Amino acid sequence: MKVALILAGGSGTRTEQSVPKQFLSIYDKPIIIYTLEAFERHPEVDAIIVSCISGWKEVLAGYARAYNITKLRWIVDGGENGQASARNALIALESECDEDDIVIIHDAVRPMISGEIISDAILKAKQYGSGLSAVRCQETIMRTKDGETGRDGINREDIMRVQTPQAYQYGKVLWAHKEALRRGITNAVYTNTLMLELGEELHFSYGSNKNIKITTLEDIDMFKAMYATKRDAWLKSKTEEIGKKIKYMLHGLRCLLMKNILKR
C-alpha cells in the first residue's frame, strides 16, 4: 500500500491571516484541497492520512466531501511541530501498514506538486528505502552569524534543496520517529533532518522549483500566478482538442454529403 501523509498542523502566522494558511481559499478553493487533489488523482496512491491542526478536523472532512477526495481515510491531530505531526500520523498507521509499504510525507501548503514528482519519490523509496524530492541550488549560499555579514561561501555543487514529498518505507520511517523520540530529538524540521541526525543515508528524487511552499503573502501571489498560467495552458489545450474534433466531424459530414449527392 502507498499512503500519502499530509502535514497540515501549522498555524501559518507568517501569512498574517486569521485562518491557517492550509485552509486559505485561492480561486474559491482551499490550498489543502489543491494538494489533496494531486494525490487523489495519482494512480499509485491508495490512501491519504492528514495530520491536522486542532479545531479544523471537521472543516477538513467537510471540504473533502465537497471536493470528492475519496482517498482520505484518516484525519489525526497535529502535533506541536512538524516532527510530532508526522509521528502522530505514522503511529496511527501501525495497524494499517506493513513494513515495506510506502508513506509519502508532504506539506499541505505545497499545492503545485505534480504527478511526476510523486511517482519518482515512490520509485526511489521502493528501490532505496527513501525518495526525497530535491533540486539543485541556483543561488549563492553564504554562512553568517548575524544575518547581516558573511565571509564564507558554500559550493553549490555540494548541496541540494530538499522539499516534500519525501517517500519512505513505512517500517523504516516509523522506527526513525520512535528512535528520535527515545534519543530526545524532538524538533527536527523535516523527517529527512531527523533521519540524518540518526546517521541514515538518504536518496534524492525528482523535484521542481515550481513546487513552492506557501509560507508568506508573497508565496500566495506566486501560487496564484503559476496556477493561472497552468489553468490557461489547460484551457488552451482543451480548446485546441475540441477544435480538432469539430474539424474531423465537419470533414465526416462533408464526405457523407458528397456520397449522397453522387448517389443521386
Side-chain angles (χ1 to χ4, degrees):
M1 181 164 67
K2 301 172 190 68
V3 180
L5 191 168
I6 308 301
L7 299 175
S11 58
T13 55
R14 280 176 285 182
T15 54
E16 302 173 21
Q17 305 291 316
S18 58
V19 175
K21 57 188 176 182
Q22 58 270 36
F23 289 99
L24 288 174
S25 285
I26 298 179
Y27 298 127
D28 299 319
K29 185 188 295 185
I31 290 172
I32 191 170
I33 294 299
Y34 289 101
T35 302
L36 292 175
E37 285 177 335
F39 290 96
E40 178 75 22
R41 288 191 300 265
H42 199 281
E44 290 191 78
V45 175
D46 300 299
I48 300 170
I49 183 170
V50 177
S51 193
C52 186
I53 186 171
S54 176
W56 288 83
K57 289 166 67 176
E58 290 302 319
V59 175
L60 175 59
Y63 280 143
R65 288 191 295 270
Y67 288 93
N68 199 32
I69 307 298
T70 61
K71 292 181 182 179
L72 178 58
R73 290 178 53 186
W74 311 279
I75 303 175
V76 300
D77 292 322
E80 63 273 15
N81 55 32
Q83 179 180 341
S85 291
R87 184 175 64 246
N88 288 353
L90 290 167
I91 290 172
L93 291 172
E94 280 192 277
S95 61
E96 306 289 343
C97 289
D98 295 326
E99 285 203 353
D100 58 352
D101 285 340
I102 303 297
V103 177
I104 310 114
I105 303 173
H106 187 63
D107 295 317
V109 288
R110 288 188 189 268
M112 289 297 290
I113 182 173
S114 67
E116 292 81 4
I117 290 175
I118 297 171
S119 294
D120 199 53
I122 292 171
L123 178 63
K124 294 299 193 300
K126 284 180 181 178
Q127 292 176 328
Y128 306 112
S130 61
L132 281 59
S133 177
V135 293
R136 282 285 185 186
C137 188
Q138 298 173 333
E139 295 85 3
T140 298
I141 306 296
M142 296 179 65
R143 289 191 180 90
T144 179
K145 293 183 178 180
D146 57 10
E148 296 181 3
T149 60
R151 291 189 176 184
D152 184 20
I154 301 173
N155 189 337
R156 290 180 296 183
E157 296 302 312
D158 294 337
I159 58 175
M160 295 285 284
R161 286 195 297 115
V162 176
Q163 310 169 327
T164 64
Q166 297 181 10
Y168 301 93
Q169 291 179 3
Y170 176 71
K172 187 71 171 183
V173 71
L174 179 64
W175 165 83
H177 274 270
K178 288 184 174 181
E179 180 66 13
L181 192 61
R182 189 186 70 82
R183 296 191 194 182
I185 301 169
T186 58
N187 197 30
V189 177
Y190 275 126
T191 294
N192 70 293
T193 56
L194 179 154
M195 289 276 203
L196 293 174
E197 288 192 62
L198 294 175
E200 296 296 314
E201 182 178 75
L202 302 173
H203 291 261
F204 300 125
S205 59
Y206 173 67
S208 170
N209 288 315
K210 294 179 181 178
N211 184 24
I212 63 169
K213 182 178 181 181
I214 296 178
T215 304
T216 65
L217 292 174
E218 185 180 36
D219 297 329
I220 292 174
D221 291 336
M222 289 174 62
F223 170 65
K224 285 180 177 179
M226 286 193 290
Y227 182 77
T229 300
K230 181 180 177 181
R231 182 182 57 189
D232 290 346
W234 180 84
L235 288 172
K236 182 181 178 182
S237 68
K238 285 296 179 183
T239 301
E240 291 175 351
E241 183 181 327
I242 291 169
K244 288 179 181 178
K245 288 181 179 178
I246 292 172
K247 182 180 177 181
Y248 293 142
M249 287 173 61
L250 290 174
H251 178 71
L253 286 171
R254 281 196 295 268
C255 290
L256 185 61
L257 287 170
M258 287 299 295
K259 285 181 180 178
N260 289 335
I261 291 170
L262 292 173
K263 283 181 181 179
R264 294 176 186 174

